[in-house]
Amino acid sequence: MKKIHIKTWGCQMNEYDSSIIFKILRKKLKYTLTNQADEADLIILNTCSVREKAQEKLFDQLGRWKKLKNIKNTLIIAVGGCVAKQEKKKIYKRASYVDIVFGPKTIHRLPKMVKKILKKRKKITNVQSNSLKKYKFYKYHSLKKISAYISIMEGCNKCCSFCIVPHTRGKEISRTPEEILSEAKFLAKNGTKEIILLGQNVNSYQSKSINKDIFRLSNLIKLISKIHKIQRIRFITSNPMEFTNDLIKTYQKVPKLVSYLHLPVQSGSNRILKKMRRNYSIKEYKKIIKKIMLHRPNMQITSDFIIGFPGETKKDFQKTLKLVDEIKFDMSFSFIYSKRPGTPAARLLDSVSLQEKKERLYLLQKKIQENTNFWSKKMIGTCQSVLVEKFIYKNNKKKLFGKTQNNRTVLFQGSKELIGKIINVKIKNAYMQNLKGEL
């Protein structure tokens, strides 16, 4: 049997797409998966273009694989994901040994593309599609997972000034509730206990059921919560602009919805938010958090921050630090601003030095790390509800790995029979990356 090696960069959506790629190619062309690129007959790189220098990272990796192609000239190399959609045929100019360039919405066409390459060895570029046909292949092969993703929509209509996603992933398209429910039931039947709903802007999900009823994210969560074997539900990534009251009230109505929320704010300064085209104020953001806490007082909040956005002053940055103190964010994804080609922010004057940006990022991450330690230590001595996912080997000792309601990783001793169950674990110690507990 032929072997495929898939390398994935970027968000959970890319991870989900890569799993579909394998399922399709396994079913249609009988490929098996290998972790070693030098063993593969087909190598696929699923790319991300959110960060700066994404193209350079791509060509660095392709350069390493070029050596493999020199040894095995039958090797097929394919580039997919957001950089592929962004660069298209330009990829061939710098990496002529690449055979296929495909987009995030054309992965269901990969079997035909591979067959064509095997027949004619003529380069293929196939990046354009407005359908979500790729999601119809979830049943082809199921790697049993206690916690599994379901993509419910794709694309974004918000057009934040710094973001390239609307260009690479396109406008928002939502899957039907029937299709999503069918996938959730399939996963539950195969051992999944936690569903994580995905979307570039997941809380803008909107579709119609067969009965023509309007379905929003809140309706979808309630529907999935009725699947008996599904014990937990999460969703990422949300936008404050779409965090509506019906979604907030879901925290009171659906106990299966976890006490953890990732809600990107990006900056604590209204002036910078306006330049970013984030159509909410800090006052409105804090109001959302306050409403959620009324329904779920033990909610843990994490966020995203962009540091050194063009025009960000020391005063703007201090406002971000102040917001971190007020909300007491648990964790964050925080980065120095990356200029992305074709975005409105790329035209803005950037007067902040790189050294200043690095210093600001360090201060922000240090403060958030202090918050993380604060929340972790607060959990010591408490009894936590933990969904047990798998065994993990740490210092040659076999331990179980699980997640709390607030998304903390817990390691503890236990038997195989506990995997897939929600159990009570007493937290004994808190470390940088995880908690240590006992049954």
Side-chain angles (χ1 to χ4, degrees):
M1 294 178 80
K2 291 186 176 180
K3 294 181 180 180
I4 178 175
H5 175 74
I6 304 173
K7 194 173 187 69
T8 309
W9 291 337
C11 64
Q12 293 91 345
M13 289 285 283
N14 270 18
E15 289 179 31
Y16 184 86
D17 283 350
S18 290
S19 72
I20 296 176
I21 288 169
F22 173 56
K23 289 170 189 174
I24 295 171
L25 291 170
R26 184 181 186 276
K27 176 69 176 179
K28 297 283 188 179
L29 302 180
K30 309 299 181 188
Y31 276 95
T32 59
L33 196 64
T34 175
N35 291 325
Q36 304 300 320
D38 58 359
E39 293 179 355
D41 302 283
L42 168 62
I43 297 178
I44 292 178
L45 180 55
N46 194 6
T47 62
C48 172
S49 62
V50 169
R51 306 294 302 145
E52 196 174 8
K53 297 181 180 176
Q55 295 93 316
E56 295 310 311
K57 187 180 176 184
L58 163 67
F59 292 114
D60 283 347
Q61 180 61 66
L62 290 176
R64 290 190 284 273
W65 286 343
K66 182 183 180 182
K67 296 171 186 175
L68 299 179
K69 190 139 186 179
N70 290 337
I71 298 166
K72 188 196 286 188
N73 60 13
T74 57
L75 175 66
I76 299 171
I77 298 178
V79 178
C82 291
V83 177
K85 179 71 177 1
Q86 178 187 311
E87 299 297 305
K88 303 181 184 72
K89 290 182 179 179
K90 291 178 188 175
I91 290 171
Y92 298 129
K93 290 181 180 178
R94 286 184 60 180
S96 59
Y97 45 90
V98 170
D99 300 287
I100 299 170
V101 173
F102 64 97
K105 291 181 185 173
T106 60
I107 61 180
H108 58 287
R109 298 173 186 162
L110 269 170
K112 286 185 178 179
M113 294 184 221
V114 172
K115 280 181 180 178
K116 279 186 179 179
I117 289 294
L118 290 171
K119 248 185 177 181
K120 295 184 180 179
R121 283 284 160 182
K122 189 178 179 182
K123 297 187 187 307
I124 296 171
T125 306
N126 194 326
V127 297
Q128 200 60 46
S129 176
N130 292 320
S131 77
L132 295 180
K133 286 184 181 178
K134 67 180 181 181
Y135 296 117
K136 296 186 183 296
F137 299 93
Y138 65 85
K139 286 186 181 180
Y140 276 174
H141 176 66
S142 178
L143 296 171
K144 291 187 178 182
K145 288 186 176 181
I146 302 301
S147 180
Y149 295 126
I150 296 181
S151 182
I152 64 170
M153 54 87 67
E154 189 157 338
C156 184
N157 296 344
K158 294 296 171 287
C159 297
C160 299
S161 66
F162 56 83
C163 188
I164 201 166
V165 167
H167 172 64
T168 57
R169 288 273 180 175
K171 291 184 178 180
E172 291 171 1
I173 309 177
S174 294
R175 296 172 70 189
T176 65
E178 290 81 13
E179 191 180 327
I180 295 164
L181 189 64
S182 178
E183 185 169 353
K185 285 178 177 177
F186 175 79
L187 288 168
K189 190 178 177 181
N190 282 277
T192 294
K193 305 296 181 183
E194 178 184 66
I195 296 289
I196 305 171
L197 303 175
L198 294 179
Q200 267 82 32
N201 187 16
V202 72
N203 53 334
S204 69
Y205 173 84
Q206 185 171 314
S207 184
K208 285 185 179 180
S209 68
I210 292 172
N211 301 324
K212 305 296 181 185
D213 296 324
I214 295 293
F215 256 73
R216 301 184 190 280
L217 180 59
S218 57
N219 305 114
L220 197 58
I221 291 168
K222 289 171 191 171
L223 197 65
I224 293 171
S225 72
K226 291 176 183 177
I227 303 172
H228 177 67
K229 290 182 179 179
I230 298 302
Q231 298 178 44
R232 285 186 178 176
I233 303 169
R234 302 177 189 269
F235 58 88
I236 45 178
T237 292
S238 306
N239 192 309
M241 290 180 253
E242 301 262 6
F243 220 97
T244 50
N245 285 327
D246 63 298
L247 183 56
I248 292 170
K249 288 175 183 175
T250 310
Y251 283 100
Q252 187 178 36
K253 295 175 182 177
V254 183
K256 287 184 179 182
L257 188 58
V258 298
S259 299
Y260 166 82
L261 173 65
H262 185 74
L263 189 60
V265 65
Q266 307 300 0
S267 173
S269 164
N270 287 329
R271 191 180 75 85
I272 295 299
L273 289 178
K274 193 172 181 180
K275 293 182 79 171
M276 288 178 170
R277 296 185 184 174
R278 303 282 287 183
N279 295 325
Y280 55 84
S281 65
I282 293 303
K283 185 179 179 180
E284 288 166 333
Y285 182 89
K286 288 195 284 191
K287 191 176 179 182
I288 292 167
I289 302 296
K290 190 177 179 181
K291 282 182 180 179
I292 292 169
M293 291 295 189
L294 287 173
H295 297 296
R296 197 70 72 85
N298 59 339
M299 179 67 74
Q300 214 80 15
I301 309 291
T302 62
S303 195
D304 289 350
F305 294 92
I306 294 173
I307 299 304
F309 189 81
E312 181 189 76
T313 62
K314 288 182 180 179
K315 188 177 179 182
D316 292 319
F317 176 65
Q318 287 303 318
K319 287 180 179 179
T320 297
L321 293 182
K322 184 184 176 186
L323 181 67
V324 171
D325 279 334
E326 287 178 19
I327 304 293
K328 216 150 185 74
F329 291 107
D330 186 2
M331 296 178 189
S332 81
F333 293 104
S334 46
F335 306 96
I336 289 172
Y337 165 72
S338 288
K339 185 187 287 188
R340 305 311 297 125
T343 60
R347 300 190 294 268
L348 297 175
L349 179 65
D350 188 358
S351 57
V352 186
S353 70
L354 180 60
Q355 185 59 35
E356 177 70 17
K357 289 175 184 178
K358 286 180 178 178
E359 287 172 8
R360 290 178 189 178
L361 182 66
Y362 169 77
L363 290 172
L364 174 75
Q365 291 181 341
K366 184 184 175 188
K367 188 174 280 289
I368 290 175
Q369 185 61 60
E370 288 168 1
N371 287 352
T372 303
N373 292 335
F374 168 81
W375 290 117
S376 292
K377 285 177 182 176
K378 204 172 180 182
M379 292 172 74
I380 295 174
T382 65
C383 191
Q384 295 291 325
S385 176
V386 174
L387 174 59
V388 186
E389 293 189 26
K390 60 184 179 181
F391 272 119
I392 188 167
Y393 290 87
K394 197 168 179 68
N395 300 326
N396 296 320
K397 290 181 181 178
K398 207 172 184 181
K399 290 186 177 180
L400 285 168
F401 164 100
K403 289 282 184 75
T404 62
Q405 268 269 346
N406 61 350
N407 206 38
R408 278 288 196 283
T409 298
V410 183
L411 304 180
F412 60 97
Q413 297 284 356
S415 62
K416 185 181 179 180
E417 290 72 29
L418 296 176
I419 294 174
K421 293 180 180 178
I422 292 180
I423 60 167
N424 290 324
V425 176
K426 188 173 183 180
I427 307 303
K428 305 295 287 183
N429 286 301
Y431 301 101
M432 192 71 74
Q433 300 296 329
N434 54 55
L435 303 172
K436 186 180 177 182
E438 64 179 28
L439 290 172

